[in-house]
Amino acid sequence: MLSGRVAAVTGSTSGIGLAIAEALAAAGADVALNGFGDPSPALEAVRAHGTKALHLPADMGNAAEAASFVAETLRHFGRLDILVNNAGIQHVAAIEDFPPEAWDRVLAINLSAAFHTIRAAVPPMKARGWGRILNIASAHGLVASPFKAAYVAAKHGLLGLTKTVALELAETAITVNAICPGYVRTPLVDGQIADQAKVHGLPEDQVVRDIILAAQPSKRFIAPEHLGALAVFLASEAASGITGAALPVDGGWTAR
Ligand code: NAD
């Protein structure tokens, strides 16, 4: 379905980004991976689908490096068809204790990086006359929770960026959409469970039951591979009429 396409996925050495990279590769796309840690397992997982993959170590917290991720993908593969802005971090603290440097870092990685990659990716997509931009936001792009000021602000901002660029590109064949997952059990959520346990003084299993999944009516974590399947659909021709959308995959969370 996506053979001949090239995808670039930020933050794809782990979690949701890796699941999306694998799903795009399984659909036939070559993939530029990005993210911290040893990239070998992610590269192997993606290459197992028979497509090409490389890893580019850009720090999405740095504007120039975020833009260079797109430039390096273009240099290596000669094209970029599908950009997935997925890299993200969390910091959990009450507003009066929220460290300003944590605010800056969350905003830089979860919001500004998408501005820098999109700004770099749109000219080559326009030149080819086709493109797909997917921003991995969150249910927290649509609703808030306490103690997550920077994350909630960044994800709400990411939906604003998604809608604005979608409108700017609406007459082209480039679509821009956001996926808004509820809780997915990844290293990022494991970190939040530990942080919330500290903030509330509760054991971790009670945090999962009474705090994390309390927001999610299904009472089940979202499967990363289901987000991969949605990314493949949004990258397909069948989704060419969907742009500027924020699609919740949240077990009913934002239906409340
Ligand atoms: P994760 O921690 O498993 O993976 C995050 C990835 O981003 C890793 O590959 C990490 O190396 C990379 N990364 C972190 N900082 C980076 C930086 N500065 N530069 C480049 N790469 C960086 O997290 P995840 O749960 O898979 O989250 C992925 C995205 O999905 C995030 O944007 C997150 O906000 C969003 N999300 C997650 C959940 C969830 O429940 N897990 C829910 C909603 C939205």
Side-chain angles (χ1 to χ4, degrees):
M1 188 201 269
L2 299 178
S3 66
R5 302 281 189 208
V6 169
V9 186
T10 72
S12 44
T13 48
S14 154
I16 294 168
L18 177 55
I20 290 175
E22 279 202 64
L24 294 171
D30 294 331
V31 184
L33 297 170
N34 160 259
F36 298 145
D38 176 6
S40 309
L43 280 167
E44 267 171 44
V46 172
R47 285 178 183 147
H49 297 284
T51 59
K52 293 190 199 111
L54 84 161
H55 173 261
L56 298 166
D59 177 357
M60 290 299 140
N62 176 295
E65 289 189 36
S68 81
F69 175 56
V70 169
E72 284 297 303
T73 301
L74 285 160
R75 200 176 60 79
H76 188 87
F77 287 118
R79 60 191 286 166
L80 173 57
D81 305 286
I82 302 158
L83 169 66
V84 183
N85 288 301
N86 166 80
I89 59 166
Q90 176 62 278
H91 190 93
V92 178
I95 190 68
E96 64 271 35
D97 301 324
F98 214 98
E101 35 317 332
W103 169 273
D104 288 345
R105 185 96 179 132
V106 172
L107 268 286
I109 296 168
N110 296 22
L111 176 58
S112 299
F115 163 74
H116 296 297
T117 57
I118 291 171
R119 188 170 172 277
V122 165
M125 286 180 177
K126 275 186 172 171
R128 280 199 165 268
W130 196 89
R132 293 287 186 264
I133 298 171
L134 297 181
N135 297 322
I136 309 309
S138 168
H140 281 126
L142 297 162
V143 294
S145 294
F147 308 117
K148 296 181 179 176
Y151 187 87
V152 170
K155 296 297 189 182
H156 275 68
L158 188 56
L159 295 190
L161 177 66
T162 303
K163 290 189 269 190
T164 303
V165 183
L167 290 178
E168 290 183 29
L169 300 176
E171 291 184 26
T172 73
I174 304 167
T175 64
V176 190
N177 291 294
I179 296 176
C180 300
Y183 281 106
V184 187
R185 193 85 195 240
T186 66
L188 181 138
V189 167
D190 285 335
Q192 281 182 63
I193 292 166
D195 287 349
Q196 292 272 15
K198 238 179 274 164
V199 168
H200 297 282
L202 294 171
E204 292 195 3
D205 57 343
Q206 200 180 336
V207 168
V208 169
R209 197 182 55 244
D210 296 345
I211 296 177
I212 302 280
L213 292 181
Q216 204 148 292
S218 65
K219 303 285 180 217
R220 293 185 301 276
F221 284 104
I222 302 299
E225 53 272 25
H226 291 172
L227 300 174
L230 178 57
V232 169
F233 173 70
L234 289 171
S236 73
E237 283 310 313
S240 58
I242 304 175
T243 196
L247 299 157
V249 184
D250 63 6
W253 179 344
T254 54
R256 286 185 195 277

